[in-house]
Amino acid sequence: MAKKRATATRSKGAAPAAGTAKGAAVPVVGAREPCPCGSGRRYKACHGREAAHAVTELVKRPFEGLSGECDWVALRELVPAATAPLTLKAPLPDGVPSVTLGTVLPMAWPGLRRDTGAVLLGLQSDTASGDISRDLADTLSRALTAEPGNPVEGRRTAPDGPRLQDLLDPDAPFVPEVHSGFEFWLEDAETATGEVAASLERANEAVIPTVRLNGVDAAYWCETPEKNHLRWVMPHPEEALLDAMARLHVAGASSLGEGTRLVGSFRAHGLTVPVWDLPLGMGAEEVEKPAAAFGERLLETLARTEPLTAEERRARSGFMNRQITLS
């Protein structure tokens, strides 16, 4: 019995063998090559298994620690066309005048180095691992050294590579600018002609009108053919937020005015996003004051600690049943 346990322990390949000093990092090699640790096993069945798990393991809050985390989530999941200037911890390399985050780039490229040397980073591009922050940081690092006038393709990132939190200045404000279309793709969109102009027009036709509210953080109004909505990315812990929303709903204080209704919420990148239905005629400016008032009510309610009543528990359960997870 003891002999079997010892064999099973060795089969995990976690301990370094003769080929690697104890505590030393094991180099990455091809999946079918012998593992550099000296175990005699293929890399994919030894230390490669740990590396693959590190790459694919989902990071639930990839933007945590960044300035404007809630807006990062909104631009990733809710907003069709927007940009935000990024400030790096280190000085920009020579020939790189600026770095700008964009929701979507042409051809869904992860990154782009303009002819002028400026860098665009695509937030809504496909990612190869479970950590969006690490994938974006890899794209950003490569874009900073790419030849001007070239896109940056996606690739699988190393599990120990830098993350956005390592590259971006945490004290610099994150200020998104929402656009009505994708003219930010071009440095001079007014002069676009031919297929470029046609492609831009097709992309703009699919944009849902969206506005970021000014009076509260990370709340986005949007207009759809059937009704308008307000989607508000909130930083509060989910359990406390759901309790507060249930209390407000039972008290008749969860709406944003006549004809509006809190319809539920969804999770995105570790944060909760309540959603309200709005009448078609209710524009973004009309939502500003009701949203600010709701924000004050919410903060007051979040401070309450007494147990929920039976009616509040039912309301909370209803919110939970209507909640979906996007990431």
Side-chain angles (χ1 to χ4, degrees), residues 58-62 73 77-78 238-239 242 264-273 275 319-327:
L58 178 65
V59 176
K60 293 182 179 179
R61 285 184 65 178
V73 172
E77 299 296 340
L78 307 179
E238 181 182 25
E239 295 302 314
L242 290 175
S265 64
F266 58 88
R267 297 187 192 96
H269 306 293
L271 299 183
T272 304
V273 187
V275 179
F319 287 137
M320 290 293 296
N321 291 337
R322 297 193 299 274
Q323 190 177 62
I324 61 173
T325 301
L326 296 184
S327 55

Side-chain angles (χ1 to χ4, degrees), residues 38-234:
S39 66
R41 307 171 69 198
R42 290 180 177 178
Y43 179 69
K44 71 175 184 179
C46 192
H47 281 83
R49 181 179 299 170
E50 298 172 7
H53 177 71
V55 169
T56 58
E57 186 176 7
L58 178 65
V59 176
K60 293 182 179 179
R61 285 184 65 178
F63 307 117
E64 185 177 14
L66 293 176
S67 175
E69 178 189 7
C70 294
D71 281 305
W72 278 88
V73 172
L75 266 58
R76 170 74 184 184
E77 299 296 340
L78 307 179
V79 183
T83 56
L86 298 180
T87 303
L88 276 58
K89 291 180 179 179
L92 290 175
D94 291 341
V96 180
S98 63
V99 176
T100 302
L101 182 73
T103 47
V104 181
L105 300 189
M107 307 296 293
W109 287 324
L112 174 65
R113 181 89 184 272
R114 293 189 187 276
D115 291 334
T116 60
V119 166
L120 284 179
L121 180 65
L123 181 56
Q124 294 181 15
S125 58
D126 291 336
T127 53
S129 78
D131 187 352
I132 297 171
S133 177
R134 198 179 307 280
D135 290 335
L136 290 170
D138 178 73
T139 299
L140 174 56
S141 297
R142 290 184 289 130
L144 291 171
T145 58
E147 287 295 322
N150 285 283
V152 177
E153 303 290 345
R155 72 174 185 183
R156 186 170 184 142
T157 55
D160 57 350
R163 307 178 73 239
L164 286 176
Q165 289 81 347
D166 301 317
L167 301 182
L168 300 183
D169 182 352
D171 297 322
F174 184 74
V175 185
E177 180 182 359
V178 178
H179 305 283
S180 59
F182 295 101
E183 282 75 14
F184 67 86
W185 286 353
L186 307 173
E187 291 180 293
D188 189 4
E190 294 181 357
T191 64
T193 58
E195 181 55 33
V196 173
S199 297
L200 186 61
E201 184 178 356
R202 287 194 296 269
N204 287 346
E205 288 175 352
V207 172
I208 295 174
T210 302
V211 176
R212 182 178 186 266
L213 299 193
N214 295 315
V216 295
D217 292 333
Y220 289 80
W221 169 94
C222 68
E223 180 182 32
T224 66
E226 295 181 357
K227 61 184 67 175
N228 298 346
H229 303 280
L230 183 72
R231 298 174 290 185
W232 192 341
V233 186
M234 294 188 170

